[in-house]
Amino acid sequence: MTVNQPCVCANCGKRLFAWLMAQGDDVYDKFISDRKRSLFANLHGNVLEIDPGTGPNLPYYPKDINLIGIEPNPFMHSYLKKEAQKLGFNNIDLRTSTAEQIDAEDNSIDAVVSTLVLCSVPNLAATLQEVLRVLKPGGSFLFIEHVAAPQGTLLRQVQSTIRPIWKVLADGCHPDRETWIALENAGFKSVNYEHFKVPVPIVSPQIIGVAIR
């Protein structure tokens, strides 16, 4: 007698997460648009985005940059390519690698971009070392990241409590990661950032800034 085993889809979580990201978040996108427009206004040359997802940053990029996307989730690729073509980025170089092992040469990138990504990388320190490796001397790391709420607050307690289930639901995201400390200790020549609040539970507060190699 054959016992039917339940069908297990190892990629279902990544496929679902890609679909959810493609739906967007109108509240957050509207809130963050001016900050993105200001942060990305002076991008030039070779620009590498870590985990560009479905392309929410593309509308804010200058059209004359050479754009490289490092996106490890293959189910994001079709959404990203569609958005890139719609906005005129027909030559985007999409590579399937990870933030801890960026598929790019040493000292080859003018700017690296990361938005809502450093919360979910398995090894934050290794990721920042990869950013430093691929950046040209004087190159910029531009980031917008959600981070841990202040110690002792109710929000910080909630972030820490829900972390195990949140990591499963949100593709590895750590809602209580003190990312700004890792940035300060990574070895950049300078790190400038500010904290700000967003009207979205759990993924607030956030930081925005620029680190220079």
Side-chain angles (χ1 to χ4, degrees), residues 107-118:
N107 310 312
S108 62
I109 304 298
D110 295 290
V112 174
V113 174
S114 168
T115 62
L116 307 184
V117 169
L118 299 182

Side-chain angles (χ1 to χ4, degrees), residues 5-174:
Q5 297 295 327
C7 178
V8 178
C9 176
N11 292 318
C12 285
K14 290 185 178 297
R15 188 189 298 273
L16 175 61
F17 188 66
W19 180 83
L20 289 171
M21 292 300 97
Q23 308 315 302
D25 184 335
D26 292 341
V27 173
Y28 179 76
D29 291 343
K30 183 177 181 180
F31 182 86
I32 203 70
S33 61
D34 287 344
R35 293 181 184 274
K36 283 188 176 182
R37 192 171 293 110
S38 176
L39 184 64
F40 301 145
N42 296 319
L43 285 173
H44 66 277
N46 297 324
V47 177
L48 184 150
E49 182 173 353
I50 301 172
D51 290 16
T54 59
N57 292 331
L58 294 181
Y60 305 96
Y61 289 163
K63 293 297 189 295
D64 59 348
I65 62 174
N66 301 314
L67 183 58
I68 300 168
I70 301 297
E71 179 49 66
N73 185 343
F75 300 106
M76 297 283 191
H77 290 195
S78 61
Y79 297 112
L80 179 60
K81 290 176 180 178
K82 182 178 180 180
E83 183 70 6
Q85 290 174 357
K86 183 177 75 173
L87 294 171
F89 292 97
N90 297 317
N91 296 318
I92 182 172
D93 184 354
L94 187 57
R95 305 176 185 180
T96 304
S97 62
T98 67
E100 291 92 342
Q101 293 182 312
I102 295 175
D103 181 11
E105 298 294 327
D106 296 358
N107 310 312
S108 62
I109 304 298
D110 295 290
V112 174
V113 174
S114 168
T115 62
L116 307 184
V117 169
L118 299 182
C119 58
S120 60
V121 296
N123 190 326
L124 179 54
T127 296
L128 296 178
Q129 291 309 304
E130 278 291 273
V131 171
L132 284 163
R133 177 184 67 79
V134 303
L135 278 175
K136 297 177 181 179
S140 303
F141 178 42
L142 287 62
F143 53 88
I144 303 174
E145 299 289 343
H146 75 82
V147 297
Q151 289 279 5
T153 63
L154 176 60
L155 179 55
R156 179 61 172 268
Q157 183 179 350
V158 171
Q159 289 175 330
S160 298
T161 300
I162 69 168
R163 184 200 316 126
I165 187 64
W166 192 263
K167 286 171 62 178
V168 175
L169 296 175
D171 203 27
C173 173
H174 297 69

